[in-house]
Amino acid sequence: MLQYIRKGSGEVLVFIHGFLGAKEIFSEVIDELSSQYDCIAVDLPGHGESKVEKESYSVYFYAKAVADVLAHEGIKDATWLGHSMGGYIVLAAIEKGIAPINRAILAYSSDLADTDEQIKKRTNQQQEIADNGVEHFVNNVLGAFFGENPKVEHVNFARNIAYNASEEGLVMALETMKNRPYQHNLVEQLKIPVLVIEGSEDNVVKPIETSNPNVKKVKTKTGHLGMLEDSQTFTQTIREFMS
């Protein structure tokens, strides 16, 4: 089972981090929201404290692993928040009905499949990790996750979280993202309330574009890690959506 934390009481809010993340990436947000909500944050396989337990994964396997945590905690329904790769997992869970989801929050994420160019880039990154290790890779790519003029403490915090990932876990996550499905049609048809949070300085993912009236979009003046760069706006946006 995935490693996870649970804090607070009230309506359940599940946090799923992205590539190079871990449950701690939401620490400041959870500290604020746990006064109103029952917050659960997981470590995906090969990230944080969770080990890789399979030879290969997909967004659907990741979603099932999150659902197993909720079943273990006796949780029947919840709002799922996915950051970046975590957003792909949330959409996978909705698509296959892997768990009851009341609302969905897609933070700095996408509903598109990888392009050929992105697949090639991820393949090169897999080789870089195998050749040079996690720390070298993290140091090379993490700067792109932030917007303009990031705070040193935020960069160091994210870097130390990313260092805890295993080579196997990162290579597997990259493979999972290369093979993720095209989910734009799903987003267009969703009947549950959905919040899309995007960063005006985010150069990592292409923003979700939809005409679905059930989808609300909010933009933060951040890069790809708005929960760190502007946790106050990020938290307030979630509160307003949940209420």
Side-chain angles (χ1 to χ4, degrees):
M1 183 179 293
L2 300 179
Q3 297 299 305
Y4 63 95
I5 58 170
R6 185 174 186 180
K7 182 178 181 179
S9 60
E11 187 175 349
V12 179
L13 181 54
V14 180
F15 294 82
I16 308 170
H17 66 80
F19 181 64
L20 296 180
K23 55 187 180 295
E24 288 79 15
I25 203 77
F26 297 110
S27 292
E28 192 168 350
V29 172
I30 289 174
D31 284 346
E32 289 292 324
L33 291 176
S34 59
S35 62
Q36 293 176 264
Y37 304 104
D38 184 356
C39 299
I40 295 180
V42 301
D43 282 338
L44 295 173
H47 293 69
E49 299 176 306
S50 290
K51 305 300 182 184
V52 173
E53 298 179 349
K54 294 169 57 68
E55 292 184 0
S56 64
Y57 283 87
S58 70
V59 286
Y60 304 106
F61 282 126
Y62 282 139
K64 179 62 167 58
V66 175
D68 288 345
V69 168
L70 302 185
H72 178 74
E73 288 289 319
I75 295 169
K76 297 189 182 300
D77 50 54
T79 295
W80 285 33
L81 182 156
H83 169 246
S84 194
M85 183 176 74
Y88 314 152
I89 295 167
V90 173
L91 290 176
I94 295 171
E95 178 198 350
K96 298 293 187 182
I98 290 171
I101 298 178
N102 294 334
R103 307 182 191 88
I105 302 172
L106 308 174
Y108 315 103
S109 192
S110 175
D111 55 2
L112 305 178
D114 261 8
T115 63
D116 290 342
E117 182 180 354
Q118 288 172 315
I119 290 173
K120 182 178 180 180
K121 179 180 178 180
R122 294 197 202 279
T123 299
N124 291 337
Q125 289 177 328
Q126 289 173 313
Q127 190 61 53
E128 182 183 351
I129 293 167
D131 290 343
N132 301 312
V134 172
E135 289 195 13
H136 180 274
F137 174 73
V138 169
N139 291 338
N140 274 350
V141 304
L142 194 65
F145 282 42
F146 289 89
E148 300 174 7
N149 304 313
K151 293 183 178 179
V152 173
E153 59 265 35
H154 290 160
V155 177
N156 288 338
F157 183 75
R159 181 183 290 119
N160 288 329
I161 288 175
Y163 283 165
N164 286 328
S166 68
E167 290 186 19
E168 185 182 13
L170 293 185
V171 169
M172 199 167 288
L174 286 165
E175 192 68 24
T176 297
M177 289 189 286
K178 283 161 58 175
N179 295 314
R180 75 182 188 275
Y182 176 83
Q183 297 282 34
H184 178 71
N185 293 337
L186 174 68
V187 171
E188 286 290 289
Q189 298 166 9
L190 288 174
K191 303 300 183 185
I192 62 173
V194 178
L195 171 64
V196 170
I197 306 176
E198 63 182 62
S200 61
E201 300 171 4
D202 185 358
N203 296 313
V204 175
V205 297
K206 185 176 180 180
I208 294 173
E209 299 294 342
T210 178
S211 58
N212 186 338
N214 295 313
V215 178
K216 176 184 179 181
K217 294 185 68 174
V218 174
K219 186 175 292 188
T220 59
K221 195 178 187 311
T222 68
H224 195 59
L225 295 172
M227 72 287 288
L228 289 182
E229 297 171 86
D230 187 357
S231 62
Q232 185 174 2
T233 298
F234 189 89
T235 302
Q236 184 59 31
T237 298
I238 293 170
R239 278 201 177 104
E240 291 173 359
F241 174 69
M242 296 286 285
S243 62

